[in-house]
Each structure stands twice: as structure tokens, then as C-alpha cells.
Amino acid sequence: MTGPVLETERLTLRPLALADFPRWAEMMADPEAAKFLGGAQPAATAWRGFMSMAGAWSLTGIAMFSLIERNTGLWLGRIGPWQPLDWPGTEVGWGLHPDAQGKGYGVEAATATIDYAFDVLGWTDVIHCIDPDNTPSQRLAERLGSYNQGPTQMPPPYQDIPVDKWGQSRAEWRARRR
């Protein structure tokens, strides 16, 4: 898969590769890691989500990056721009493998992808669709300078899932980064 590659101090962010699927499937099978990503899934269901993300890269040039630890090459999760049809905004979202959580990878990678969304994609704001019970994602959003903008409506088939829209404008992001 071709596409942009971003690098941070500890991470490489790149489009999905087929070799990423085993760790993706592990993450999506873990009840706690997948709790706010649609729930634990068997590999066949996780495959469909994986292929949807790969297809979005191919067809639109916008999808979440695979998050790779530079020192080991280990797949750590998915993070980045996401804008499906009828989505409530231009999202930078995330999902981390259980063994990657709590190590600061989310902030490091989200910072790089928000910069990318504003500087390369030209977005004027970013949102994060976060379940009201997902306190780890709320804390990550706060660390990024985003704030809760209230409940939002997801498109079908997700319309019944409670979600708060967190986010900030490009001006707010740039003022904070100075």
C-alpha cells in the first residue's frame, strides 16, 4: 500500500499492510480493547473492518494509519483521519492494542495525525467520537486540547450508540501548539 508516512520520535505511521492484520485481529478480539470499537469480534468480522480501512486509503486517501513502534516494527494500533459517509465531522480517531496502552503512544501519534489533518489535508477542525463511558479516550482527547462539544448522532448502522463529539478547531490547535 502506498501513501503518506509520518514519523515521530518512537513511531512510524503508515497505511495498513497485510502483515498488520494478525495484531489488528488480536486487538479486535480483546473484549476490553474493542469495547468502544464495536465490541469484541471474531477474525472474520475484524477482517471486514481492516479491509474497509485499507479500501478507504485506496479510494479516498484518508484513513487511519497503522501505528508501528520504530525500534521493533511491532504494530501498536490504528490512529488518524477518518471521514466515512455521513460522519458527524472530520475525525482523528484511535484504537490501541492492549499492550500499547498507557505508554503515551496515543498522544504522540494523535499529535502527528492532527498536524497532518490540518497541514496536509486542510481540515478546519477535528473531532473525536467518544462513548460517554470511555474515560481513557476522553483523557487522551483532553491531553490533545480537545473538549467535549456534546452528544452527536452517528450514521446508520451506529445511530443507536451514544457518542459525544470532542474536538477543536485548527486555530485552537495551532494556538495551543505555539
Side-chain angles (χ1 to χ4, degrees), residues 5-14 65-79 96 100 103-113:
V5 175
L6 310 178
E7 293 201 346
T8 69
E9 181 181 337
R10 301 179 296 162
L11 306 168
T12 298
L13 290 83
R14 59 154 173 77
F65 293 92
S66 275
L67 177 58
I68 309 297
E69 189 175 49
R70 286 176 64 176
N71 289 342
T72 64
L74 187 64
W75 187 89
L76 302 174
R78 64 185 194 199
I79 193 161
L96 295 175
K103 299 178 181 179
Y105 293 132
V107 171
E108 188 175 332
T111 298
T113 58

Side-chain angles (χ1 to χ4, degrees), residues 23 26-28 30 32-33 76 96-103:
R23 295 261 305 160
E26 277 180 25
M27 177 182 78
M28 294 309 297
D30 184 279
E32 202 54 37
L76 302 174
L96 295 175
H97 192 281
D99 62 21
Q101 296 176 10
K103 299 178 181 179

Side-chain angles (χ1 to χ4, degrees), residues 2-169:
T2 59
V5 175
L6 310 178
E7 293 201 346
T8 69
E9 181 181 337
R10 301 179 296 162
L11 306 168
T12 298
L13 290 83
R14 59 154 173 77
L16 298 175
L18 194 54
D20 301 338
F21 181 69
R23 295 261 305 160
W24 175 295
E26 277 180 25
M27 177 182 78
M28 294 309 297
D30 184 279
E32 202 54 37
K35 181 177 182 178
F36 299 111
L37 302 175
Q41 304 172 355
T45 304
W47 175 256
R48 289 175 187 85
F50 182 82
M51 294 305 283
S52 292
M53 195 70 64
W57 269 118
S58 179
L59 295 174
T60 69
I62 298 173
M64 291 189 200
F65 293 92
S66 275
L67 177 58
I68 309 297
E69 189 175 49
R70 286 176 64 176
N71 289 342
T72 64
L74 187 64
W75 187 89
L76 302 174
R78 64 185 194 199
I79 193 161
W82 187 233
Q83 192 178 14
L85 184 65
D86 295 330
W87 214 246
T90 48
E91 180 166 22
V92 168
W94 49 77
L96 295 175
H97 192 281
D99 62 21
Q101 296 176 10
K103 299 178 181 179
Y105 293 132
V107 171
E108 188 175 332
T111 298
T113 58
I114 292 172
D115 282 341
Y116 176 81
F118 288 142
D119 298 342
V120 177
L121 299 177
W123 290 1
T124 57
D125 59 12
V126 296
I127 67 163
H128 322 291
C129 297
I130 302 175
D131 186 292
D133 294 330
N134 188 347
T135 53
S137 279
Q138 293 167 10
R139 281 188 298 239
L140 174 54
E142 288 172 342
R143 289 183 67 193
L144 296 168
S146 291
Y147 51 93
N148 190 339
Q149 299 173 359
T152 193
Q153 182 69 44
M154 300 292 283
Y158 309 108
Q159 71 274 7
D160 296 327
I161 298 172
V163 173
D164 289 331
K165 179 168 66 172
W166 289 67
Q168 62 187 297
S169 69

